[in-house]
């Protein structure tokens, strides 16, 4: 691949969608669009999740790649999908199909939020909502994470409380408590909801329709915000056969991390998209699933941006200057305006997609990143 980032990175959901669809149609694809009937974009425009497929009918091996699970993180994921589609991936490899799901959470993408129209973290929504998981310690931190003000004493007190928790229990314990997911505070962070969201239902429909008949599936969910800046970290998210982890290690090499053994920038989370893929596939196909994290900045900066964005959502009567500042924080945390970063993540992400194809189809000779 020899693409300049400016060819693929866009500054609005509408422009990113237009670019992705143009790349797909140029290769002869007929996109399928799922329109969100519960929300619109900042200017009232429609919001859609778009799906394209390349490869022979009935292919038994499928690379399934999703962008925008976490809204604003879709900007980098969209650029990677647009670039790889333009490059001809999966390069005509026999019996392999490539399915790209663009903007799974189009509301968050368009409004530059991580969550959906109901403040739900989609990557914590794939649980049994009749018996939701329990994150008992989140309640201890909720007030600190969601202060009544952003420029006054409640914010400062919240910072102090979070610092005290980290000092007492460790920063990894703080990260796990905050990011694991919680199903009790709808106005809070990492809220998993009370029922399958619109995006959840779309993903189930897509996986059911586009992996039918597959015997092996490589699943990649594209994210930003964790890890060292511009570093691509493939995080193992499953596969229910006994060899799934060894297979992922063989595909992705020493870069692969595992949240559960402490090697990842991510602590364990509950209710992520890979669980839905595994449920739909059942025993019918061998799944090798990762979250691909493209690092941006420090964990503290990311958490601060999320707290600020959540406060802004809860307090619509804000000053324009403050809203702009919070918007800049979110962009810096999840979509830096840095050509060097964009070039690096495009190259690194492409390399991971090539590794997935080579693992799924050892006979493939994918183009170098």
């Amino acid at each position: 691949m020899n693409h300049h980032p400016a060819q693929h990175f866009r500054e609005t959901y509408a422009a990113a969608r237009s670019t992705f669809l143009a790349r797909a149609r140029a290769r002869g694809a007929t996109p399928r669009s799922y329109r969100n009937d519960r929300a619109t974009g900042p200017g009232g425009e429609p919001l859609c999740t778009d799906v394209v497929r390349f490869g022979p009918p009935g292919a038994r091996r499928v690379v399934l790649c999703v962008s925008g699970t976490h809204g604003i993180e879709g900007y980098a994921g969209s650029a990677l999908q647009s670039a790889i589609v333009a490059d001809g991936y999966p390069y005509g490899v026999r019996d392999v199909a490539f399915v790209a799901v663009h903007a799974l959470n189009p509301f968050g993408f368009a409004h530059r939020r991580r969550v959906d129209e109901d403040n739900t973290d989609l990557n914590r929504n794939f649980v049994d909502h009749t018996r939701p998981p329990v994150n008992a310690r989140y309640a201890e931190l909720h007030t600190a994470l969601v202060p009544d003000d952003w420029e006054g004493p409640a914010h400062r007190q919240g910072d102090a409380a979070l610092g005290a928790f980290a000092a007492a229990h460790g920063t990894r314990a703080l990260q796990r408590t905050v990011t694991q997911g919680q199903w009790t505070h709808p106005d809070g962070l990492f809220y998993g909801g009370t029922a399958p969201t619109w995006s959840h239902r779309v993903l189930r429909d897509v996986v059911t329709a586009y992996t039918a008949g597959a015997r092996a599936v490589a699943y990649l969910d594209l994210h930003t915000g964790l890890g060292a800046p511009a570093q691509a970290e493939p995080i193992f998210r499953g596969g229910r056969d006994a060899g799934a982890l060894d297979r992922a290690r063989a595909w992705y090499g020493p870069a692969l991390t595992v949240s559960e053994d402490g090697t990842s920038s991510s602590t364990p989370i509950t209710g992520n998209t890979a669980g839905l893929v595994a449920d739909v596939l059942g025993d019918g196909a061998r799944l090798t699933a990762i979250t691909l994290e493209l690092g941006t900045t420090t964990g503290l900066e990311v958490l601060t941006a999320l707290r600020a964005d959540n406060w802004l959502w809860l307090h619509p009567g804000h000053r324009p200057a403050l809203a702009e500042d919070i918007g800049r924080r979110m962009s810096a945390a999840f979509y830096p305006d840095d050509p060097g970063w964009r070039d690096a993540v495009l190259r690194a992400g492409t390399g991971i997609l090539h590794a997935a194809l080579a693992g799924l189809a050892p006979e493939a000779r994918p183009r170098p990143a």
Side-chain angles (χ1 to χ4, degrees):
M1 173 179 287
N2 186 23
H3 294 297
H4 190 279
Q7 293 178 277
H8 308 292
F9 286 86
R10 298 292 181 264
E11 303 309 314
T12 67
Y13 157 78
R17 182 187 185 217
S18 178
T19 297
F20 172 76
L21 292 176
R23 301 284 192 272
R25 288 174 176 139
R27 284 188 56 191
T30 301
R32 180 177 179 183
S33 298
Y34 296 79
R35 181 169 176 174
N36 188 327
D37 59 0
R38 302 193 63 254
T40 58
E45 66 272 24
L47 300 174
C48 295
T49 295
D50 299 293
V51 185
V52 296
R53 181 187 185 280
F54 303 95
R60 292 174 296 175
R61 297 176 290 183
V62 176
V63 179
L64 175 62
C65 179
V66 173
S67 71
T69 296
H70 281 149
I72 191 173
E73 301 178 27
Y75 285 93
S78 171
L80 179 54
Q81 288 177 319
S82 291
I84 207 80
V85 166
D87 201 45
Y89 187 93
Y91 312 122
V93 179
R94 184 182 63 84
D95 199 33
V96 174
F98 173 53
V99 178
V101 183
H102 182 269
L104 181 58
N105 167 15
F107 174 87
F109 199 145
H111 290 269
R112 302 180 82 88
R113 300 200 69 206
R114 188 172 173 275
V115 293
D116 75 356
E117 56 271 14
D118 296 315
N119 200 48
T120 300
D121 183 325
L122 181 58
N123 220 28
R124 307 299 187 274
N125 186 246
F126 296 89
V127 299
D128 179 356
H129 290 282
T130 66
R131 294 183 297 174
V134 175
N135 180 0
R137 301 199 76 176
Y138 175 84
E140 299 176 35
L141 298 176
H142 178 71
T143 300
L145 292 166
V146 186
D148 289 336
D149 63 58
W150 192 249
E151 297 180 298
H155 182 192
R156 293 191 292 274
Q157 290 163 8
D159 288 350
L162 295 174
F165 187 98
H169 305 288
T171 55
R172 290 287 280 185
L174 174 63
Q175 181 185 0
R176 181 164 188 165
T177 300
V178 173
T179 68
Q180 172 187 330
Q182 56 88 11
W183 295 264
T184 53
H185 294 73
D187 61 338
L189 273 60
F190 299 92
Y191 174 59
T194 59
T197 65
W198 177 86
S199 296
H200 177 141
R201 298 192 299 274
V202 166
L203 184 61
R204 181 177 294 277
D205 186 30
V206 169
V207 176
T208 301
Y210 286 87
T211 65
R215 303 304 300 167
V217 174
Y219 179 64
L220 302 94
D221 190 12
L222 308 178
H223 290 258
T224 63
L226 275 181
Q231 177 178 311
E233 179 187 353
I235 305 172
F236 180 67
R237 289 296 183 220
R240 291 182 178 164
D241 63 285
L245 178 55
D246 287 342
R247 190 167 58 248
R249 284 176 171 149
W251 291 12
Y252 300 112
L256 186 83
T257 65
V258 182
S259 297
E260 287 73 16
D261 69 11
T263 59
S264 176
S265 62
S266 169
T267 51
I269 64 175
T270 303
N272 66 82
T273 61
L276 179 279
V277 179
D279 287 344
V280 172
L281 294 176
D283 296 329
R286 191 171 62 182
L287 172 65
T288 311
I290 63 166
T291 292
L292 177 58
E293 278 286 354
L294 303 168
T296 54
T297 185
T298 68
L300 178 59
E301 289 294 329
V302 171
L303 179 59
T304 300
L306 290 175
R307 292 171 64 208
D309 175 69
N310 190 73
W311 179 87
L312 192 64
W313 169 71
L314 290 171
H315 300 85
H318 48 74
R319 294 185 294 106
L322 179 58
E324 290 173 7
D325 178 67
I326 290 173
R328 284 191 292 269
R329 282 181 179 271
M330 285 293 287
S331 292
F334 296 106
Y335 186 45
D337 184 13
D338 177 355
W341 180 85
R342 294 181 181 188
D343 180 66
V345 299
L346 190 62
R347 293 178 182 277
T350 300
I352 295 295
L353 274 159
H354 286 167
L357 178 59
L360 198 64
E363 75 276 16
R365 295 184 181 274
R367 303 178 188 184

